[in-house]
């Protein structure tokens, strides 16, 4: 056999006297289902309606329509509404808040949203703020989360 100049020797491995330690594997936590179908603290529509109205009236009392400002204000209003409703700790509800701000320039407005939901537990709240220069439509969807 030809040697290319690589002196590679195969030597038997030495056995170490250091014991091999294996860290214990943490067991995977398994949660048992609660089989609870109703929420302990269900969503209260009246409280949500009051929150939406107060946030909207405060945010748009001195608002003058501008497309760039409207985007930022819509985001802030949406987050404020969700945070205030979440602070009431309604049990097992997911919230989706859609805020639409439009300028009135002799045009029409049409909006369509479609969901697959349980009509007994899921729903929506809509609020319209209308002034001569612009309009605001706020829709809060509350979806029961099993």
């Amino acid at each position: 056999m030809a040697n290319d100049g690589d002196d590679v020797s195969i030597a038997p491995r030495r056995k170490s006297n250091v014991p091999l330690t294996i860290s214990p594997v943490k067991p995977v936590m398994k949660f048992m289902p609660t089989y609870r179908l109703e929420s302990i603290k269900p969503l209260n529509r009246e409280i949500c309606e009051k929150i939406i109205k107060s946030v909207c009236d405060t945010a748009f009392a001195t608002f003058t329509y501008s497309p760039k400002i409207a985007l930022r204000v819509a985001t802030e209003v949406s987050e404020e509404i969700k945070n205030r409703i979440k602070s009431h700790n309604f049990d097992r509800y997911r919230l989706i808040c859609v805020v639409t701000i439009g300028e009135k320039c002799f045009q029409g407005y049409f909006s369509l949203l479609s969901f697959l939901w349980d009509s007994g537990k899921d729903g929506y709240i809509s609020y319209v703020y209308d002034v001569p220069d612009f309009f605001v439509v706020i829709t809060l969807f509350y979806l029961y989360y099993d």
Side-chain angles (χ1 to χ4, degrees), residues 60-73:
F60 297 108
T62 60
F63 179 76
T64 303
Y65 184 81
S66 169
K68 291 181 181 180
I69 296 173
L71 177 63
R72 182 183 50 80
V73 171

Side-chain angles (χ1 to χ4, degrees), residues 38-92:
E38 299 297 323
S39 63
I40 294 172
K41 188 175 179 184
L43 186 123
N44 187 335
R45 283 183 57 99
E46 287 132 13
I47 291 174
C48 294
E49 287 171 353
K50 289 177 184 176
I51 290 171
I52 292 171
K53 185 177 181 339
S54 70
V55 170
C56 186
D57 291 344
T58 303
F60 297 108
T62 60
F63 179 76
T64 303
Y65 184 81
S66 169
K68 291 181 181 180
I69 296 173
L71 177 63
R72 182 183 50 80
V73 171
T75 305
E76 290 172 359
V77 168
S78 176
E79 288 300 317
E80 180 68 22
I81 290 170
K82 286 194 301 184
N83 290 337
R84 285 194 188 180
I85 292 173
K86 285 180 182 180
S87 70
H88 286 275
N89 295 323
F90 295 121
D91 191 27
R92 295 186 175 201

